[in-house]
Amino acid sequence: MTRPQIDGLLQKIESTEKIEAGSERAKAIVNRILRDLFYTIEDLDIQPDEVWTAVNYLTQAGQNEEYGLIAAGLGIEHFLDLRMDEEEEKAGMTGGTPRTIEGPLYVAGAPKSKGFARIDDGTEVEQGEIFFMQGKVLDADNNPIPNAIVEVWHANLKGNYSYFDQSQSDFNLRGTIETDENGNYQFRSILPSGYGVPPGGSTEVLLNAVGRHGNRPSHVHFFVSAPGCRKLTTQINFDGDPYLWDDFAFATREGLIPDLTVITDVEKIKEKGLDKPFS
Ligand code: MBD
Ligand code: FE
């Protein structure tokens, strides 16, 4: 079909929209996506069986609850970050810790503590490496923010997240830490493993079809919020991870790879009390 023929059909479809009904925003978005889809089907000569394969694929992906994962894997979530960065730049809001994607695995309501939290339940402490992190929450003028809320979540040694992985205890590797009077927070956990999309799932099917992998480097997620401030959504990565700059979700950014201190000296570990559970 020619473009004018396609445009004729699109006009016919749009003409069935009642002026006083629905929302103008929904109409604009749906009509635009439909136009781009019709043009794509025409330009790439997509066959009916391919369209129905796609419809069935989407049905399955929804049943698998994988749309959030697909949005990450297609770079849609990262694209939204780049757009928010641009908006802030235009408004003259520069500096601070870079944002990066939330991903689909946050769970609200993790146990809250003041200043410090141990967020691992201890089940993997023997196999894993103990991990400490500390930081300071600052406002735009670099003043510490007491009572800021730092929410942290990450995967276990198998790359799985509690709640989604029902074999883990509730809120394992998730915590809510309120900064102390100096804006500081600390937590103890175990170093997470990288993440891989569920084997046999819809995201994997899509990535395989375009010759991509579905792996993320090891990472820890953060929400940082305080009254009167925009909420920061970000992550950290660990230097040396083979997937550090090959994340299927495109989330790695300069400024989000903090310096690590590795302590292997058993005496030092004992000296600092790191061999014992924190209370
Ligand atoms: C994750 O752990 C994640 O952070 C993202 C963005 C996608 C899938 C799994
Ligand atoms: Fe994650």
Side-chain angles (χ1 to χ4, degrees), residues 187-239:
F187 63 91
R188 172 190 164 156
S189 193
I190 51 158
L191 270 186
S193 296
Y195 171 91
V197 297
S202 298
T203 310
E204 190 185 64
V205 166
L206 178 61
L207 293 170
N208 283 348
V210 296
R212 293 180 52 195
H213 69 72
N215 298 306
R216 298 208 64 210
S218 173
H219 61 280
V220 177
H221 295 266
F222 297 84
F223 281 156
V224 183
S225 46
C229 298
R230 298 186 78 174
K231 176 171 151 184
L232 173 68
T233 301
T234 194
Q235 303 179 24
I236 58 156
N237 289 103
F238 301 97
D239 207 3

Short mmCIF file of all heavy atoms in Angstrom, two decimals, residues 187-239:
data_model
loop_
_atom_site.label_atom_id
_atom_site.label_comp_id
_atom_site.label_asym_id
_atom_site.label_seq_id
_atom_site.Cartn_x
_atom_site.Cartn_y
_atom_site.Cartn_z
N PHE A 187 25.38 0.44 55.51
CA PHE A 187 24.72 -0.85 55.61
C PHE A 187 25.73 -1.97 55.43
O PHE A 187 26.81 -1.78 54.88
CB PHE A 187 23.55 -0.99 54.63
CG PHE A 187 23.90 -0.91 53.17
CD1 PHE A 187 24.20 -2.07 52.46
CD2 PHE A 187 23.90 0.30 52.51
CE1 PHE A 187 24.51 -2.00 51.10
CE2 PHE A 187 24.21 0.38 51.15
CZ PHE A 187 24.51 -0.77 50.45
N ARG A 188 25.34 -3.12 55.95
CA ARG A 188 26.12 -4.34 55.79
C ARG A 188 25.27 -5.34 55.02
O ARG A 188 24.07 -5.48 55.28
CB ARG A 188 26.46 -4.95 57.15
CG ARG A 188 27.11 -6.33 57.02
CD ARG A 188 27.24 -7.07 58.33
NE ARG A 188 27.49 -8.47 58.02
CZ ARG A 188 28.09 -9.31 58.84
NH1 ARG A 188 28.49 -8.92 60.02
NH2 ARG A 188 28.27 -10.57 58.47
N SER A 189 25.91 -6.03 54.07
CA SER A 189 25.19 -7.06 53.31
C SER A 189 26.21 -8.08 52.80
O SER A 189 27.29 -8.24 53.39
CB SER A 189 24.41 -6.41 52.16
OG SER A 189 23.50 -7.34 51.62
N ILE A 190 25.84 -8.80 51.74
CA ILE A 190 26.81 -9.63 51.03
C ILE A 190 26.91 -9.09 49.62
O ILE A 190 25.95 -8.50 49.11
CB ILE A 190 26.37 -11.12 51.00
CG1 ILE A 190 24.93 -11.24 50.50
CG2 ILE A 190 26.56 -11.77 52.36
CD1 ILE A 190 24.59 -12.58 49.95
N LEU A 191 28.07 -9.27 48.98
CA LEU A 191 28.24 -8.79 47.61
C LEU A 191 27.28 -9.56 46.71
O LEU A 191 27.29 -10.79 46.71
CB LEU A 191 29.67 -9.04 47.14
CG LEU A 191 30.72 -7.97 47.35
CD1 LEU A 191 32.02 -8.41 46.66
CD2 LEU A 191 30.27 -6.61 46.83
N PRO A 192 26.45 -8.86 45.94
CA PRO A 192 25.51 -9.56 45.06
C PRO A 192 26.21 -10.16 43.83
O PRO A 192 27.31 -9.75 43.48
CB PRO A 192 24.54 -8.46 44.62
CG PRO A 192 25.27 -7.18 44.81
CD PRO A 192 26.29 -7.40 45.90
N SER A 193 25.55 -11.12 43.22
CA SER A 193 25.97 -11.62 41.91
C SER A 193 25.24 -10.83 40.83
O SER A 193 24.26 -10.15 41.11
CB SER A 193 25.64 -13.11 41.76
OG SER A 193 26.36 -13.86 42.69
N GLY A 194 25.71 -10.96 39.61
CA GLY A 194 25.02 -10.34 38.48
C GLY A 194 23.68 -11.01 38.25
O GLY A 194 23.38 -12.06 38.83
N TYR A 195 22.87 -10.39 37.42
CA TYR A 195 21.52 -10.86 37.15
C TYR A 195 21.45 -11.38 35.72
O TYR A 195 22.09 -10.84 34.82
CB TYR A 195 20.54 -9.69 37.33
CG TYR A 195 19.12 -9.98 36.88
CD1 TYR A 195 18.17 -10.48 37.75
CD2 TYR A 195 18.74 -9.74 35.55
CE1 TYR A 195 16.88 -10.75 37.34
CE2 TYR A 195 17.45 -9.99 35.13
CZ TYR A 195 16.53 -10.50 36.01
OH TYR A 195 15.25 -10.76 35.59
N GLY A 196 20.67 -12.43 35.51
CA GLY A 196 20.37 -12.89 34.16
C GLY A 196 18.87 -13.04 34.00
O GLY A 196 18.18 -13.43 34.95
N VAL A 197 18.34 -12.69 32.84
CA VAL A 197 16.89 -12.79 32.62
C VAL A 197 16.45 -14.25 32.79
O VAL A 197 17.23 -15.17 32.57
CB VAL A 197 16.46 -12.25 31.23
CG1 VAL A 197 16.78 -10.77 31.12
CG2 VAL A 197 17.07 -13.04 30.09
N PRO A 198 15.18 -14.47 33.19
CA PRO A 198 14.72 -15.84 33.46
C PRO A 198 14.89 -16.75 32.23
O PRO A 198 14.44 -16.38 31.14
CB PRO A 198 13.23 -15.67 33.79
CG PRO A 198 13.03 -14.24 34.10
CD PRO A 198 14.13 -13.47 33.43
N PRO A 199 15.54 -17.91 32.42
CA PRO A 199 15.72 -18.84 31.29
C PRO A 199 14.38 -19.30 30.75
O PRO A 199 13.48 -19.64 31.51
CB PRO A 199 16.49 -20.01 31.91
CG PRO A 199 17.07 -19.49 33.19
CD PRO A 199 16.15 -18.41 33.65
N GLY A 200 14.23 -19.27 29.44
CA GLY A 200 12.99 -19.70 28.81
C GLY A 200 11.88 -18.67 28.83
O GLY A 200 10.80 -18.91 28.31
N GLY A 201 12.16 -17.51 29.41
CA GLY A 201 11.13 -16.46 29.51
C GLY A 201 11.02 -15.63 28.24
O GLY A 201 11.80 -15.79 27.28
N SER A 202 10.06 -14.72 28.25
CA SER A 202 9.76 -13.90 27.07
C SER A 202 10.90 -12.92 26.74
O SER A 202 11.17 -12.65 25.58
CB SER A 202 8.48 -13.10 27.30
OG SER A 202 7.39 -13.98 27.49
N THR A 203 11.52 -12.38 27.79
CA THR A 203 12.63 -11.45 27.54
C THR A 203 13.77 -12.17 26.85
O THR A 203 14.35 -11.66 25.87
CB THR A 203 13.10 -10.83 28.87
OG1 THR A 203 11.97 -10.34 29.58
CG2 THR A 203 14.08 -9.71 28.63
N GLU A 204 14.07 -13.37 27.33
CA GLU A 204 15.15 -14.16 26.71
C GLU A 204 14.82 -14.47 25.25
O GLU A 204 15.70 -14.39 24.38
CB GLU A 204 15.38 -15.44 27.50
CG GLU A 204 16.65 -16.16 27.06
CD GLU A 204 16.82 -17.49 27.76
OE1 GLU A 204 15.99 -18.39 27.55
OE2 GLU A 204 17.80 -17.62 28.50
N VAL A 205 13.57 -14.83 24.99
CA VAL A 205 13.15 -15.14 23.61
C VAL A 205 13.43 -13.95 22.69
O VAL A 205 14.00 -14.09 21.60
CB VAL A 205 11.65 -15.53 23.57
CG1 VAL A 205 11.11 -15.52 22.15
CG2 VAL A 205 11.43 -16.90 24.22
N LEU A 206 13.04 -12.76 23.16
CA LEU A 206 13.22 -11.55 22.37
C LEU A 206 14.71 -11.23 22.16
O LEU A 206 15.14 -10.94 21.04
CB LEU A 206 12.52 -10.38 23.07
CG LEU A 206 12.64 -9.00 22.42
CD1 LEU A 206 12.04 -9.01 21.02
CD2 LEU A 206 11.95 -7.96 23.29
N LEU A 207 15.48 -11.30 23.26
CA LEU A 207 16.91 -10.98 23.16
C LEU A 207 17.62 -11.96 22.25
O LEU A 207 18.45 -11.57 21.42
CB LEU A 207 17.54 -10.94 24.56
CG LEU A 207 17.05 -9.81 25.47
CD1 LEU A 207 17.55 -10.02 26.90
CD2 LEU A 207 17.49 -8.44 24.93
N ASN A 208 17.29 -13.25 22.40
CA ASN A 208 17.90 -14.26 21.52
C ASN A 208 17.59 -13.98 20.06
O ASN A 208 18.45 -14.15 19.19
CB ASN A 208 17.41 -15.67 21.88
CG ASN A 208 18.07 -16.22 23.14
OD1 ASN A 208 19.05 -15.66 23.64
ND2 ASN A 208 17.51 -17.30 23.66
N ALA A 209 16.36 -13.56 19.80
CA ALA A 209 15.93 -13.32 18.42
C ALA A 209 16.76 -12.21 17.76
O ALA A 209 16.93 -12.20 16.54
CB ALA A 209 14.45 -12.96 18.38
N VAL A 210 17.26 -11.28 18.57
CA VAL A 210 18.06 -10.20 17.99
C VAL A 210 19.56 -10.37 18.32
O VAL A 210 20.35 -9.43 18.14
CB VAL A 210 17.55 -8.80 18.42
CG1 VAL A 210 16.14 -8.57 17.87
CG2 VAL A 210 17.58 -8.63 19.94
N GLY A 211 19.92 -11.57 18.78
CA GLY A 211 21.34 -11.88 18.99
C GLY A 211 21.96 -11.17 20.17
O GLY A 211 23.16 -10.85 20.14
N ARG A 212 21.16 -10.93 21.22
CA ARG A 212 21.69 -10.26 22.41
C ARG A 212 21.66 -11.18 23.62
O ARG A 212 20.90 -12.14 23.64
CB ARG A 212 20.85 -9.00 22.73
CG ARG A 212 20.94 -7.89 21.70
CD ARG A 212 20.07 -6.72 22.14
NE ARG A 212 20.38 -6.32 23.51
CZ ARG A 212 19.62 -5.54 24.26
NH1 ARG A 212 18.49 -5.06 23.78
NH2 ARG A 212 19.98 -5.24 25.49
N HIS A 213 22.46 -10.83 24.66
CA HIS A 213 22.38 -11.56 25.92
C HIS A 213 21.50 -10.79 26.90
O HIS A 213 21.15 -9.64 26.65
CB HIS A 213 23.78 -11.80 26.51
CG HIS A 213 24.47 -10.56 27.01
ND1 HIS A 213 24.09 -9.90 28.16
CD2 HIS A 213 25.51 -9.85 26.52
CE1 HIS A 213 24.86 -8.85 28.35
NE2 HIS A 213 25.73 -8.78 27.36
N GLY A 214 21.16 -11.45 28.00
CA GLY A 214 20.27 -10.83 29.00
C GLY A 214 20.92 -10.72 30.36
O GLY A 214 20.26 -10.95 31.38
N ASN A 215 22.19 -10.35 30.40
CA ASN A 215 22.92 -10.27 31.66
C ASN A 215 23.14 -8.84 32.13
O ASN A 215 23.34 -7.94 31.32
CB ASN A 215 24.28 -10.97 31.54
CG ASN A 215 24.13 -12.43 31.24
OD1 ASN A 215 23.44 -13.17 31.94
ND2 ASN A 215 24.74 -12.87 30.15
N ARG A 216 23.14 -8.70 33.46
CA ARG A 216 23.49 -7.43 34.08
C ARG A 216 24.71 -7.67 34.95
O ARG A 216 24.84 -8.72 35.57
CB ARG A 216 22.36 -6.92 34.98
CG ARG A 216 21.04 -6.64 34.24
CD ARG A 216 20.26 -5.57 34.97
NE ARG A 216 21.04 -4.36 34.92
CZ ARG A 216 21.03 -3.40 35.84
NH1 ARG A 216 20.28 -3.53 36.91
NH2 ARG A 216 21.78 -2.35 35.71
N PRO A 217 25.59 -6.67 35.06
CA PRO A 217 26.68 -6.77 36.03
C PRO A 217 26.10 -6.72 37.44
O PRO A 217 24.97 -6.26 37.62
CB PRO A 217 27.52 -5.53 35.74
CG PRO A 217 26.56 -4.54 35.16
CD PRO A 217 25.56 -5.36 34.39
N SER A 218 26.88 -7.17 38.41
CA SER A 218 26.48 -7.05 39.81
C SER A 218 26.21 -5.59 40.14
O SER A 218 26.97 -4.70 39.73
CB SER A 218 27.62 -7.60 40.67
OG SER A 218 27.35 -7.36 42.03
N HIS A 219 25.13 -5.35 40.88
CA HIS A 219 24.73 -3.96 41.16
C HIS A 219 23.89 -3.89 42.42
O HIS A 219 23.33 -4.89 42.87
CB HIS A 219 23.95 -3.39 39.97
CG HIS A 219 22.69 -4.15 39.68
ND1 HIS A 219 22.68 -5.33 38.98
CD2 HIS A 219 21.42 -3.91 40.04
CE1 HIS A 219 21.45 -5.79 38.90
NE2 HIS A 219 20.65 -4.95 39.55
N VAL A 220 23.79 -2.68 42.96
CA VAL A 220 22.92 -2.41 44.10
C VAL A 220 22.06 -1.20 43.73
O VAL A 220 22.58 -0.20 43.22
CB VAL A 220 23.73 -2.10 45.38
CG1 VAL A 220 22.82 -1.74 46.55
CG2 VAL A 220 24.63 -3.28 45.74
N HIS A 221 20.76 -1.31 44.00
CA HIS A 221 19.80 -0.24 43.68
C HIS A 221 19.60 0.70 44.87
O HIS A 221 19.63 0.25 46.02
CB HIS A 221 18.43 -0.83 43.37
CG HIS A 221 18.38 -1.68 42.15
ND1 HIS A 221 18.03 -1.20 40.92
CD2 HIS A 221 18.62 -3.00 41.98
CE1 HIS A 221 18.05 -2.19 40.04
NE2 HIS A 221 18.41 -3.30 40.66
N PHE A 222 19.30 1.96 44.57
CA PHE A 222 19.00 2.97 45.59
C PHE A 222 17.85 3.88 45.18
O PHE A 222 17.77 4.28 44.02
CB PHE A 222 20.21 3.91 45.79
CG PHE A 222 21.43 3.24 46.31
CD1 PHE A 222 22.31 2.60 45.44
CD2 PHE A 222 21.72 3.23 47.67
CE1 PHE A 222 23.45 1.97 45.92
CE2 PHE A 222 22.86 2.61 48.14
CZ PHE A 222 23.72 1.97 47.27
N PHE A 223 17.00 4.17 46.14
CA PHE A 223 16.12 5.35 46.09
C PHE A 223 16.62 6.25 47.21
O PHE A 223 16.82 5.78 48.33
CB PHE A 223 14.68 4.99 46.43
CG PHE A 223 13.87 4.34 45.33
CD1 PHE A 223 12.77 3.56 45.67
CD2 PHE A 223 14.18 4.52 43.99
CE1 PHE A 223 11.99 2.97 44.69
CE2 PHE A 223 13.39 3.92 43.00
CZ PHE A 223 12.30 3.15 43.35
N VAL A 224 16.79 7.53 46.93
CA VAL A 224 17.16 8.47 47.98
C VAL A 224 16.13 9.60 47.96
O VAL A 224 15.92 10.22 46.92
CB VAL A 224 18.58 9.05 47.76
CG1 VAL A 224 18.94 9.98 48.92
CG2 VAL A 224 19.60 7.92 47.63
N SER A 225 15.48 9.80 49.09
CA SER A 225 14.44 10.83 49.12
C SER A 225 14.51 11.65 50.40
O SER A 225 14.97 11.18 51.44
CB SER A 225 13.06 10.20 48.95
OG SER A 225 12.92 9.06 49.78
N ALA A 226 14.08 12.90 50.28
CA ALA A 226 14.03 13.82 51.43
C ALA A 226 12.99 14.89 51.11
O ALA A 226 12.80 15.22 49.93
CB ALA A 226 15.39 14.46 51.66
N PRO A 227 12.34 15.43 52.14
CA PRO A 227 11.32 16.46 51.91
C PRO A 227 11.89 17.64 51.12
O PRO A 227 13.01 18.08 51.39
CB PRO A 227 10.93 16.90 53.33
CG PRO A 227 11.29 15.76 54.21
CD PRO A 227 12.49 15.12 53.59
N GLY A 228 11.15 18.10 50.13
CA GLY A 228 11.57 19.27 49.35
C GLY A 228 12.61 18.97 48.28
O GLY A 228 13.09 19.88 47.62
N CYS A 229 12.97 17.70 48.13
CA CYS A 229 13.99 17.31 47.15
C CYS A 229 13.39 16.33 46.14
O CYS A 229 12.49 15.57 46.48
CB CYS A 229 15.19 16.64 47.81
SG CYS A 229 16.07 17.68 48.96
N ARG A 230 13.90 16.36 44.92
CA ARG A 230 13.51 15.33 43.95
C ARG A 230 14.09 14.00 44.41
O ARG A 230 15.19 13.95 44.95
CB ARG A 230 14.07 15.67 42.57
CG ARG A 230 13.54 16.97 42.00
CD ARG A 230 14.00 17.18 40.58
NE ARG A 230 13.22 16.35 39.66
CZ ARG A 230 13.33 16.41 38.33
NH1 ARG A 230 14.19 17.21 37.78
NH2 ARG A 230 12.59 15.65 37.58
N LYS A 231 13.34 12.95 44.20
CA LYS A 231 13.81 11.61 44.58
C LYS A 231 14.85 11.14 43.56
O LYS A 231 14.66 11.30 42.36
CB LYS A 231 12.62 10.66 44.59
CG LYS A 231 12.96 9.22 44.87
CD LYS A 231 11.67 8.43 45.08
CE LYS A 231 11.82 6.99 44.69
NZ LYS A 231 10.52 6.29 44.82
N LEU A 232 15.95 10.61 44.08
CA LEU A 232 16.99 10.03 43.20
C LEU A 232 16.79 8.53 43.10
O LEU A 232 16.67 7.84 44.11
CB LEU A 232 18.38 10.33 43.76
CG LEU A 232 19.55 9.64 43.03
CD1 LEU A 232 19.73 10.19 41.61
CD2 LEU A 232 20.85 9.77 43.82
N THR A 233 16.78 8.03 41.88
CA THR A 233 16.77 6.59 41.61
C THR A 233 18.11 6.26 40.98
O THR A 233 18.47 6.85 39.95
CB THR A 233 15.65 6.21 40.63
OG1 THR A 233 14.40 6.60 41.18
CG2 THR A 233 15.64 4.72 40.34
N THR A 234 18.88 5.37 41.62
CA THR A 234 20.19 5.07 41.04
C THR A 234 20.67 3.68 41.43
O THR A 234 19.94 2.89 42.02
CB THR A 234 21.20 6.19 41.41
OG1 THR A 234 22.36 6.04 40.58
CG2 THR A 234 21.60 6.16 42.88
N GLN A 235 21.87 3.35 41.05
CA GLN A 235 22.50 2.06 41.33
C GLN A 235 23.99 2.30 41.48
O GLN A 235 24.51 3.32 41.03
CB GLN A 235 22.31 1.07 40.15
CG GLN A 235 20.89 0.80 39.76
CD GLN A 235 20.78 -0.17 38.59
OE1 GLN A 235 21.67 -0.97 38.32
NE2 GLN A 235 19.67 -0.10 37.88
N ILE A 236 24.67 1.32 42.07
CA ILE A 236 26.13 1.27 41.97
C ILE A 236 26.53 -0.05 41.32
O ILE A 236 25.78 -1.04 41.39
CB ILE A 236 26.84 1.41 43.33
CG1 ILE A 236 26.40 0.31 44.29
CG2 ILE A 236 26.66 2.80 43.91
CD1 ILE A 236 27.40 0.00 45.38
N ASN A 237 27.70 -0.04 40.70
CA ASN A 237 28.31 -1.24 40.13
C ASN A 237 29.65 -1.48 40.77
O ASN A 237 30.18 -0.62 41.48
CB ASN A 237 28.48 -1.08 38.62
CG ASN A 237 27.17 -1.12 37.88
OD1 ASN A 237 26.66 -0.09 37.46
ND2 ASN A 237 26.62 -2.30 37.74
N PHE A 238 30.21 -2.66 40.50
CA PHE A 238 31.50 -3.03 41.06
C PHE A 238 32.52 -3.18 39.93
O PHE A 238 32.29 -3.92 38.97
CB PHE A 238 31.37 -4.34 41.85
CG PHE A 238 30.38 -4.22 42.97
CD1 PHE A 238 29.07 -4.64 42.81
CD2 PHE A 238 30.74 -3.63 44.17
CE1 PHE A 238 28.14 -4.51 43.84
CE2 PHE A 238 29.82 -3.49 45.20
CZ PHE A 238 28.51 -3.92 45.04
N ASP A 239 33.61 -2.43 40.07
CA ASP A 239 34.66 -2.46 39.05
C ASP A 239 35.18 -3.87 38.88
O ASP A 239 35.26 -4.62 39.85
CB ASP A 239 35.79 -1.51 39.48
CG ASP A 239 36.54 -0.97 38.29
OD1 ASP A 239 36.15 -1.28 37.14
OD2 ASP A 239 37.51 -0.23 38.50
#
